[in-house]
Amino acid sequence: MARVHVAIVGAGIIGCLIAREMAARRPEASLVVLDRDQTGCGASRRSAGTHIPRGATARFRRMTEYSHDYYAGLRRARPALPIRALPMAVVADAAHERTILERYIPAAAPLRTDTLPCRVTDLPERSAAWRISGGHYADVHGLTRALAAELRPRVAFREGVEVVAVDPSPTGVTLRLGTGETLTADRLVLAPGPWTGHPAWAALTRALDVRVKKIVALHLDEPTAPDDGAVVFQDHDAFLLPLHAEGHWLYSYVCPHWDVDPDTVGRGLAPSDLAEAAESLRVCAPRLAGRVGSARVFCDAYGPQGEPLITGVAGAERVVFAGAGSGFGYRLAPAIAGEAADLLCQD
Ligand SMILES: Cc1cc2nc3c(=O)[nH]c(=O)nc-3n(C[C@H](O)[C@H](O)[C@H](O)COP(=O)(O)OP(=O)(O)OC[C@H]3O[C@@H](n4cnc5c(N)ncnc54)[C@H](O)[C@@H]3O)c2cc1C
């Protein structure tokens, strides 16, 4: 039976960044990342990958600042990675200036402006706009795969290999794999994205109070111009993003459907999705209301209070859960990975 120091289940952006962090902190440790699919093909493949440098709580802002600096360092070190800086403006009721100034991290430096960084929408009546520095968006699927490629000489990746059972004991954690193999790890990290209820570990994660919510982002049939930037509608928890590589716009809003199944939710837009999304778009960017052609439909795991969760698992001291990206799992992935590595390196 094979044995490794650390096994990470889930090769999404979070699992891959945990592997990167552990490879840097523990050069001598044997590391394996397992995924039943291909690397970066879960929620990470559907992500809009937007980094809006803000946070509603002090913890969110701390994690955002950490991740902001991490991604900035990554872009400096490897400019070819698919992370693209973006002009960005936030729109809100003029009376909410204090909230804007509190919620955006210092590097964002919100500054009142009369113009939006695009021509596809206007400043809504009775609203104000602030220019935001340091925003970006990424092709999260491409980025995850590029990071995995860099790690491969050091970290074993087992793609197309499902973990079908997890058996923690005081001396190690034994994984039963869909291939019929078993693997024992000194420590196990569960980074399963929205598959928190997979039968292999449902008994371990049930008490974590993680729920899975549907996410819908509209693809708008409106071309982008090279200098177009993103517009964040602070009071509506929505944003417009120019997908330059794809040549169209994306509109993200809050989809209120909970407890969905990640294996079936991605099968396409439901009539209620279209109606809810169109209503939100009509309020925030009415000129684009007729441009709804398609969408990306998937889901994400949400922690208690809608925040990420990085924790040891009660009754299984060798197991760490890291995830519940709560719709911000790309933006916060470096901070989540850092906290997971802190837990793994405690002993
Ligand atoms: C439409 C959409 C838009 C989004 N937009 C943004 C955004 O703009 N900004 C932002 O910050 N975040 C955004 N998010 C959220 C972000 O994409 C996610 O939080 C993040 O990708 C989660 O990464 P992860 O590594 O936890 O999960 P995943 O990428 O889902 O990775 C988990 C992996 O675990 C594997 N797995 C599951 N079960 C098993 C098993 N039994 N055995 C082996 N492997 C298994 C899966 O195959 C999967 O590859 C968006 C999400 C969606 C769906």
Side-chain angles (χ1 to χ4, degrees), residues 14 35-36 43-44 47-48 50 163 193 198 201 300 327-331:
I14 291 176
D35 203 299
R36 66 178 186 176
S44 299
S47 188
T50 319
V163 174
H198 190 285
W201 48 73
D300 201 10
F328 310 109
Y330 164 69
R331 188 205 317 167

Side-chain angles (χ1 to χ4, degrees), residues 8 10-12 33-40 158-162:
I8 299 164
V33 180
L34 301 125
D35 203 299
R36 66 178 186 176
D37 201 333
Q38 305 300 288
T39 296
R158 301 281 318 266
E159 295 175 296
V161 175
E162 183 171 28

Side-chain angles (χ1 to χ4, degrees), residues 132-165:
I132 298 298
S133 301
H136 75 243
Y137 78 105
D139 163 8
V140 183
H141 174 237
L143 174 64
T144 305
R145 296 180 71 78
L147 294 173
E150 188 181 66
L151 285 171
R152 270 176 205 275
R154 166 73 184 83
V155 177
F157 277 80
R158 301 281 318 266
E159 295 175 296
V161 175
E162 183 171 28
V163 174
V164 295

Side-chain angles (χ1 to χ4, degrees), residues 89-159:
V90 56
V91 166
D93 187 314
H96 297 167
E97 178 154 56
R98 195 155 158 216
T99 309
I100 304 287
L101 297 179
E102 279 170 5
R103 291 198 175 174
Y104 279 75
I105 64 173
L111 201 65
R112 273 294 275 270
T113 176
D114 293 330
T115 53
L116 297 181
C118 65
R119 286 166 294 273
V120 298
T121 191
D122 307 310
L123 188 58
E125 270 180 44
R126 290 184 297 280
S127 294
W130 293 259
R131 204 180 65 213
I132 298 298
S133 301
H136 75 243
Y137 78 105
D139 163 8
V140 183
H141 174 237
L143 174 64
T144 305
R145 296 180 71 78
L147 294 173
E150 188 181 66
L151 285 171
R152 270 176 205 275
R154 166 73 184 83
V155 177
F157 277 80
R158 301 281 318 266
E159 295 175 296

Side-chain angles (χ1 to χ4, degrees), residues 3-9 15-34 151-158 183-189 341 344-345:
R3 180 148 193 142
V4 293
H5 290 116
V6 181
I8 299 164
V9 182
C16 286
L17 284 181
I18 294 170
R20 193 170 190 264
E21 194 68 27
M22 287 306 293
R25 293 197 199 185
R26 289 280 163 90
E28 76 296 346
S30 50
L31 306 171
V32 60
V33 180
L34 301 125
L151 285 171
R152 270 176 205 275
R154 166 73 184 83
V155 177
F157 277 80
R158 301 281 318 266
L183 170 73
T184 299
D186 292 347
R187 303 297 302 267
L188 171 68
V189 183
L344 292 168
C345 293

